[in-house]
């Protein structure tokens, strides 16, 4: 069953920004590969898993929940890379690093929304998200700025 987002209560901060949480899912601390999920509305487009905080939910819990729902993975939630602001959408997203420990064969959105997931080298992940969710490049660049700079040099 597809989640009816019209009935989902959104959480906003005092400035009216929608609060979100997201994860950069990696296989290890080296962060050589990043897990991206397919867009359900735009075939061939990729993004990082994430979504809105539910009322009373902490951002760490929301990040873990969203990753399970959208990507079908479980892992160890690590450091926060910070809060990223999208002024156009009036959203603030706290982004965490998660080391994936388990990949489910089927998960909620793989069944309901035909969501796919795929591992990409970090350089390729930056290119993929730039096509669909350009602000997510900033998340990936914050993950390992020195590696990114070496790659782009």
């Amino acid at each position: 069953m597809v989640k009816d987002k019209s009935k989902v209560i959104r959480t906003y901060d005092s400035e009216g920004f929608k609060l979100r949480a997201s994860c950069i899912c990696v296989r290890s601390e080296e962060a050589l590969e990043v897990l991206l999920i397919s867009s359900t509305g735009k075939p061939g487009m990729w993004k990082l898993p994430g979504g809105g905080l539910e009322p009373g939910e902490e951002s760490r819990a929301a990040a873990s929940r969203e990753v399970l729902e959208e990507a079908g993975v479980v892992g160890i939630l690590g450091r926060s890379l910070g809060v990223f602001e999208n002024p156009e959408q009036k959203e603030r997203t706290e982004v965490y690093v998660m080391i994936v420990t388990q990949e489910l064969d089927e998960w909620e959105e793989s069944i309901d929304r035909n969501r796919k997931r795929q591992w990409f080298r970090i350089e390729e992940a930056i290119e993929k998200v730039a096509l669909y969710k350009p602000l997510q490049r900033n998340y990936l660049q914050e993950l390992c700025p020195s590696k990114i700079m070496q790659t782009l040099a």
Side-chain angles (χ1 to χ4, degrees), residues 10-140:
R10 302 294 181 193
T11 304
Y12 297 87
D13 67 13
S14 61
E15 296 177 78
F17 280 78
K18 182 168 78 171
L19 298 178
R20 301 179 76 257
S22 180
C23 279
I24 298 176
C25 297
V26 297
R27 293 186 199 255
S28 68
E29 279 293 332
E30 288 77 42
L32 300 174
E33 291 183 297
V34 174
L35 187 71
L36 298 181
I37 59 171
S38 62
S39 163
T40 57
K42 296 196 176 192
M45 295 289 129
W46 296 90
K47 66 181 196 134
L48 293 164
L53 274 65
E54 294 178 355
E57 186 177 38
E58 297 288 328
S59 63
R60 293 180 68 82
S64 293
R65 176 182 49 77
E66 288 290 341
V67 166
L68 180 58
E69 288 175 4
E70 293 186 348
V73 297
V74 178
I76 300 164
L77 197 61
R79 69 191 185 277
S80 169
L81 296 175
V83 176
F84 296 81
E85 192 170 291
N86 180 342
E88 290 177 13
Q89 298 292 319
K90 205 148 170 130
E91 297 174 336
R92 289 190 174 129
T93 304
E94 186 157 11
V95 180
Y96 296 91
V97 178
M98 176 183 276
I99 297 176
V100 173
T101 57
Q102 181 183 10
E103 295 181 42
L104 304 177
D105 292 332
E106 289 186 331
W107 63 98
E108 185 176 329
E109 291 195 7
S110 73
I111 297 164
D112 297 345
R113 304 183 81 191
N114 198 30
R115 177 92 68 191
K116 307 289 184 224
R117 66 175 177 228
Q118 186 173 328
W119 290 96
F120 293 93
R121 288 183 340 275
I122 191 151
E123 304 83 12
E124 191 178 4
I126 289 171
E127 292 172 12
K128 296 283 185 190
V129 300
L131 295 172
Y132 179 51
K133 297 283 186 179
L135 291 177
Q136 290 186 354
R137 281 183 308 203
N138 300 336
Y139 308 176
L140 293 168

